[in-house]
Amino acid sequence: CLRLTALASMFLTGWVMDKPKIDQQFSRCQRKLTEDELQQLEDNIISDFAIHDPIKTWNGLVVDGEHRLKIALKHKMTFETKEVEFKDREEVVDWIMRHQVGRRNLDTVGMTTVRARIFQGSAKDIEEVSNELGVSRRTIERDVETTAVIDSLPEDIKSRIEAGALVASAKDLRKYGQLTESQKKKACETLRNDPMKTLKGALPEEKKLNKTAHLT
């Protein structure tokens, strides 16, 4: 009874009228959870009857906590917001990217894209950025190369990789970038037809791939 009473009270009194807004640019800078991760987060929040971490905002726009916000609004739950000060949108994006780097749940490809976008959005040179992030110059160069391949992918394949629903290593992404257009199209069709297939499994055999790379 206490559980139901607490839940009912939370739902009836917790609706936030002046809710934070999701900004598409800021949203693209953050790793999207897989369906399983999102469901687990929702289950945990419902079980605890609370959003423990505040939703961080800048000028009313969400800069951290997008998934928690959506769950709170879905279930009409109370939540706290914390306004963070930034001088402009560029500084917000830089903060989001660096915040993502510090998170342990970021996979290898996610980390690759975050580092690449930090460098691309920074006025600093590659040496400064690599030193700040604790990686080599070559790592940043590979990150930029890999991220360019991800950005060139069809949107449905790209979104699956970014959400962690499609296994794709940075190495295999760079191999994909060496393919001919017809080979890329065939690989994407393979991935669409078999949701369990990894990017590595959709690439041409190594012998054919090496031959293509030599010709180009």
Side-chain angles (χ1 to χ4, degrees), residues 58-59 84-95:
W58 174 71
N59 291 341
V84 185
E85 294 186 8
F86 298 103
K87 65 179 182 181
D88 52 32
R89 294 182 69 90
E90 287 71 21
E91 189 170 272
V92 176
V93 170
D94 184 67
W95 180 86

Side-chain angles (χ1 to χ4, degrees), residues 5-216:
T5 300
L7 186 59
S9 174
M10 177 181 64
F11 283 2
L12 290 173
T13 63
W15 183 245
V16 179
M17 296 303 292
D18 189 20
K19 60 181 181 292
K21 295 180 174 59
I22 294 175
D23 181 89
Q24 291 305 309
Q25 180 188 15
F26 299 161
S27 179
R28 285 195 298 270
C29 296
Q30 302 177 53
R31 173 183 176 266
K32 299 298 180 286
L33 298 182
T34 65
E35 290 185 8
D36 288 344
E37 290 172 332
L38 190 58
Q39 186 60 59
Q40 184 62 60
L41 176 62
E42 184 170 4
D43 290 345
N44 291 344
I45 288 173
I46 294 299
S47 176
D48 294 343
F49 305 128
I51 306 289
H52 294 300
D53 298 322
I55 310 298
K56 293 185 177 66
T57 62
W58 174 71
N59 291 341
L61 302 175
V62 177
V63 298
D64 180 59
E66 177 182 325
H67 296 102
R68 299 194 301 278
L69 174 64
K70 289 179 178 178
I71 292 170
L73 296 177
K74 175 182 176 181
H75 296 288
K76 300 183 179 180
M77 299 172 65
T78 55
F79 59 88
E80 295 181 21
T81 61
K82 179 180 180 181
E83 185 75 2
V84 185
E85 294 186 8
F86 298 103
K87 65 179 182 181
D88 52 32
R89 294 182 69 90
E90 287 71 21
E91 189 170 272
V92 176
V93 170
D94 184 67
W95 180 86
I96 293 174
M97 295 292 195
R98 293 177 188 279
H99 193 59
Q100 293 289 310
V101 168
R103 289 189 164 171
R104 295 181 180 179
N105 66 343
L106 205 62
D107 60 20
T108 303
V109 171
M111 187 68 77
T112 292
T113 56
V114 166
R115 286 193 301 249
R117 298 196 195 288
I118 287 176
F119 168 62
Q120 292 168 331
S122 174
K124 300 176 182 179
D125 62 35
I126 193 169
E127 295 292 349
E128 291 178 291
V129 173
S130 62
N131 288 334
E132 286 184 5
L133 297 180
V135 296
S136 69
R137 175 194 180 105
R138 181 55 187 147
T139 295
I140 299 297
E141 291 173 342
R142 284 196 299 265
D143 290 341
V144 171
E145 180 185 348
T146 303
T147 300
V149 174
I150 293 174
D151 288 340
S152 72
L153 287 162
E155 194 58 39
D156 60 322
I157 304 297
K158 176 183 176 181
S159 62
R160 285 171 59 193
I161 290 175
E162 292 178 333
L166 170 59
V167 177
S169 69
K171 180 180 179 181
D172 290 329
L173 282 163
R174 290 194 294 273
K175 286 182 179 179
Y176 172 89
Q178 297 174 357
L179 301 180
T180 64
E181 289 305 314
S182 62
Q183 287 176 319
K184 289 179 180 178
K185 184 176 180 180
K186 184 176 180 180
C188 289
E189 286 303 314
T190 298
L191 293 172
R192 293 187 182 102
N193 293 333
D194 185 355
M196 301 303 294
K197 183 82 72 175
T198 65
L199 177 60
K200 183 176 181 179
L203 293 174
E205 294 178 12
E206 192 70 22
K207 188 175 181 180
K208 294 180 181 180
L209 182 60
N210 290 337
K211 184 177 180 180
T212 300
H214 177 72
L215 291 174
T216 57

